[in-house]
């Protein structure tokens, strides 16, 4: 009797297959051949899928290059608008941007203004956020955080809208629509050895404490 054909096994690891799937789905900001270390890209993919499937984030992108090269505009600590433009180069490590299901941070002055206007936090539009993937065994210093903040903008860049592509997520705020967002911030994603991910908000500078 003829033998049944043996199914061909994929030579890709599960992580590589996940990276290929995310690249084909448009998760990366450019070419699949990215400039950072492979383990950092694997980590970014892991955090991206945690955000998407465990925390309901949408419109997620992995950024391998600094957005400053595009001549993006941002505000400094005094609120003055400036244009940042540098030669294209890689970020210290891949970063993620996307929309959380609700606002993750509200400036204290904005909070007071909304209370006076009777606006509830759950009704505030979402904002695109930066996410910095890390592992719990890493040792982070102020210098390493500064290197990251120096290469990003206050607002993550919006992905280019493709023809017939998905629309901009509803109930969102884009750059320039929130006068209280003037400092850079990232959501620090810390991955434990058991794949548990914990998130912390880190600002580039001193911020006023929130009113409870």
């Amino acid at each position: 009797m003829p033998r049944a054909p043996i199914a061909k096994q994929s030579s890709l690891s599960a992580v590589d297959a996940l990276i290929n799937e995310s690249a084909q789905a448009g998760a990366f900001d450019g070419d699949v051949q990215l400039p950072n270390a492979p383990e950092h890209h694997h980590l970014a993919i892991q955090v991206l899928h945690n955000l998407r499937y465990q925390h309901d984030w949408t419109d997620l992108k992995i950024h391998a290059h600094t957005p400053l090269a595009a001549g993006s505009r941002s505000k400094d600590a005094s609120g003055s608008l400036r244009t940042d433009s540098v030669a294209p180069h890689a970020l210290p490590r891949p970063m993620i941007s996307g929309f959380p299901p609700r606002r993750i941070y509200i400036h204290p002055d904005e909070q007071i203004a909304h209370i006076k206007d009777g606006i509830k936090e759950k009704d505030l539009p979402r904002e695109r956020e930066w996410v910095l993937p890390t592992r719990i065994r890493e040792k982070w210093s102020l210098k390493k955080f500064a290197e990251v903040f120096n290469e990003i903008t206050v607002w993550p860049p919006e992905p280019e809208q493709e023809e017939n592509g998905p629309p901009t997520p509803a109930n969102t705020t884009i750059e320039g629509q929130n006068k209280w967002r003037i400092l850079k911030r990232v959501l620090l994603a810390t991955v434990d050895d058991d794949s548990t991910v914990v998130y912390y908000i880190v600002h580039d500078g001193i911020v006023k404490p929130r009113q409870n």
Side-chain angles (χ1 to χ4, degrees), residues 23-204:
Q24 293 170 5
F28 295 106
D29 67 351
D31 194 344
V32 179
Q33 300 300 322
L34 298 172
N36 310 92
E39 60 269 20
H40 289 158
H41 291 290
H42 295 171
L43 179 63
I45 288 289
Q46 181 179 356
V47 173
L48 182 146
H49 279 255
N50 181 266
L51 291 169
R52 175 177 291 162
Y53 297 113
Q54 299 296 323
H55 299 286
D56 298 326
W57 282 50
T58 57
D59 204 25
L60 288 157
K61 290 289 180 181
I62 294 177
H63 303 266
H65 300 87
T66 174
L68 300 179
S72 53
R73 306 182 77 190
S74 62
K75 292 182 180 180
D76 56 25
S78 66
S80 300
L81 195 63
R82 67 185 183 192
T83 299
D84 302 303
S85 183
V86 297
H89 59 275
L91 288 165
R93 65 172 56 199
M95 302 276 290
I96 301 169
S97 73
F99 286 101
R102 66 191 65 83
R103 288 276 289 275
I104 65 170
Y105 176 78
I106 302 174
H107 189 279
D109 293 340
E110 181 185 6
Q111 181 187 26
I112 293 173
H114 292 325
I115 291 175
K116 291 180 178 179
D117 294 337
I119 301 175
K120 298 181 180 180
E121 289 190 15
K122 66 181 181 65
D123 297 327
L124 295 177
R126 301 175 297 159
E127 295 180 345
R128 179 174 287 277
E129 299 290 346
W130 286 111
V131 182
L132 174 61
T134 65
R135 293 198 181 279
I136 196 169
R137 294 180 180 273
E138 294 184 63
K139 294 183 179 180
W140 279 79
S141 63
L142 292 178
K143 180 180 179 181
K144 290 183 68 175
F145 278 116
E147 291 173 349
V148 171
F149 281 120
N150 287 342
E151 300 295 345
I152 64 174
T153 49
V154 174
W155 291 80
E158 295 291 332
E160 294 184 5
Q161 187 70 34
E162 298 179 0
E163 186 177 358
N164 300 322
T168 302
N171 191 31
T172 59
T173 300
I174 61 174
E175 182 175 1
Q177 292 184 346
N178 184 349
K179 65 180 181 180
W180 291 282
R181 185 168 177 174
I182 59 175
L183 291 179
K184 297 177 183 179
R185 66 173 181 252
V186 299
L187 193 63
L188 181 68
T190 304
V191 181
D192 205 339
D193 295 338
D194 62 357
S195 296
T196 302
V197 187
V198 180
Y199 297 93
Y200 305 90
I201 297 176
V202 180
H203 285 88
D204 181 26

